Amino acid sequence: MYRKMSAKVFKLVLLCGLAVAAGCKTESQRAAGTGKQAGQDHNLPGIDCPLRKAGVDPSSLRPFADVEKYIAFLDRPDRAAWQKPDEVVKALALQGDETVVDLGAGSGYFSFRLAQAVPRGKVVAADLEPEMIRHIHHKAMVEGVTNLTPVIIKGDDPQVPGEADYVFVCDVLHHVQYRAGWLKKAASEMKPGARFVLIEFKEGKLPEGPPEAVKISRKQLVELVSEAGLRLEAEKADLLPYQVFLVFRKGA
């Protein structure tokens, strides 16, 4: 995910949440126009602006063009070779009516695939960055995805909705500053029986992944999540070449 990231793109990652310009209402109108040109169904219900819901001033955000390189980096085709997003979603064995929370959704790389897997359920795409939430909102409107809700969350509270059946966290935990507290908060918000899916980069020299200094060992991952009150239920040890894939569950 981090390989060949230019200094300019890395700067965009760090500054993604800083203000410049653009508006949620304007982008929603553009989405509607784009959908019309692409032959989208305008009878689909609209999606409320998640920025205004959260009290974020959309005029203070960076324009789409300023973050499109980072979004393109996250969604680049060659990432699928090692991230295996379709295989990951399939491995969850979703029945189709679940509520799934994608914590740290970013560009929605997994969110939209998860939404396809739960046609009778819904996906909550949660992220700290308003620009990423704006992007997901815009894309969902353009593509007519009505079972996906983008939500802005705070850094110290995952804000897991009580009806969530799955909490999906991919390549995110190593970015969290206070991991123990963050995980305990997430676990406390989950309902009994809900699953917590955690994917993080393995230790060691790999062609993909963050710097070694920020990686979390498998042992530490299991300890952190277990101490938060969740039990390790399964591990997909052979699915991903560069990442640990763990599934935890909250007891009754």
Side-chain angles (χ1 to χ4, degrees), residues 92 166 193-197 222 226 230-236 246-250:
L92 299 180
Y166 282 80
R195 290 180 172 86
F196 186 91
V197 180
V222 173
S226 297
L230 305 178
R231 175 178 57 85
L232 181 63
E233 180 181 66
E235 180 173 4
K236 316 293 182 179
L246 305 170
V247 181
F248 298 82
R249 188 167 188 173
K250 184 171 182 176

Side-chain angles (χ1 to χ4, degrees), residues 48-99:
D48 291 337
C49 175
L51 304 185
R52 296 190 185 281
K53 268 187 173 181
V56 175
D57 180 4
S59 66
S60 68
L61 304 185
R62 296 173 63 85
F64 264 44
D66 285 9
V67 293
E68 64 182 359
K69 288 185 178 180
Y70 179 50
I71 291 171
F73 175 77
L74 292 176
D75 293 347
R76 68 194 188 281
D78 68 288
R79 179 183 176 186
W82 55 269
Q83 186 65 85
K84 299 185 178 183
D86 295 330
E87 291 92 332
V88 167
V89 173
K90 184 178 180 180
L92 299 180
L94 297 166
Q95 299 302 302
D97 56 358
E98 295 93 341
T99 295

Side-chain angles (χ1 to χ4, degrees), residues 97-235:
D97 56 358
E98 295 93 341
T99 295
V100 184
V101 180
D102 185 5
L103 280 182
S107 64
Y109 185 78
F110 274 103
S111 302
F112 287 92
R113 290 176 169 89
L114 290 165
Q116 285 185 329
V118 291
R120 301 179 306 281
K122 71 175 183 178
V123 172
V124 177
D127 202 275
L128 296 173
E129 306 292 353
E131 284 82 0
M132 295 297 102
I133 293 301
R134 179 184 60 183
H135 167 73
I136 294 173
H137 171 240
H138 177 269
K139 184 177 179 180
M141 292 191 70
V142 169
E143 297 183 1
V145 181
T146 58
N147 66 333
L148 194 162
T149 302
V151 174
I152 297 174
I153 57 174
K154 298 178 180 179
D156 59 352
D157 187 358
Q159 297 171 230
V160 177
E163 71 271 22
D165 300 293
Y166 282 80
V167 178
F168 183 84
V169 185
C170 180
D171 303 342
V172 170
L173 192 61
H174 66 271
H175 291 292
V176 177
Q177 186 173 8
Y178 302 109
R179 295 164 188 162
W182 189 84
L183 287 166
K184 286 180 181 178
K185 184 67 174 175
S188 71
E189 294 167 341
M190 292 167 60
K191 68 180 181 181
R195 290 180 172 86
F196 186 91
V197 180
L198 181 62
I199 297 176
E200 272 292 333
F201 282 98
K202 297 175 181 177
E203 292 181 289
K205 188 175 181 180
L206 299 169
E208 302 287 348
E212 196 68 21
V214 303
K215 290 181 181 179
I216 311 169
S217 71
R218 180 194 175 282
K219 180 181 178 182
Q220 287 178 304
L221 291 172
V222 173
E223 288 177 351
L224 279 167
V225 183
S226 297
E227 288 171 1
L230 305 178
R231 175 178 57 85
L232 181 63
E233 180 181 66
E235 180 173 4

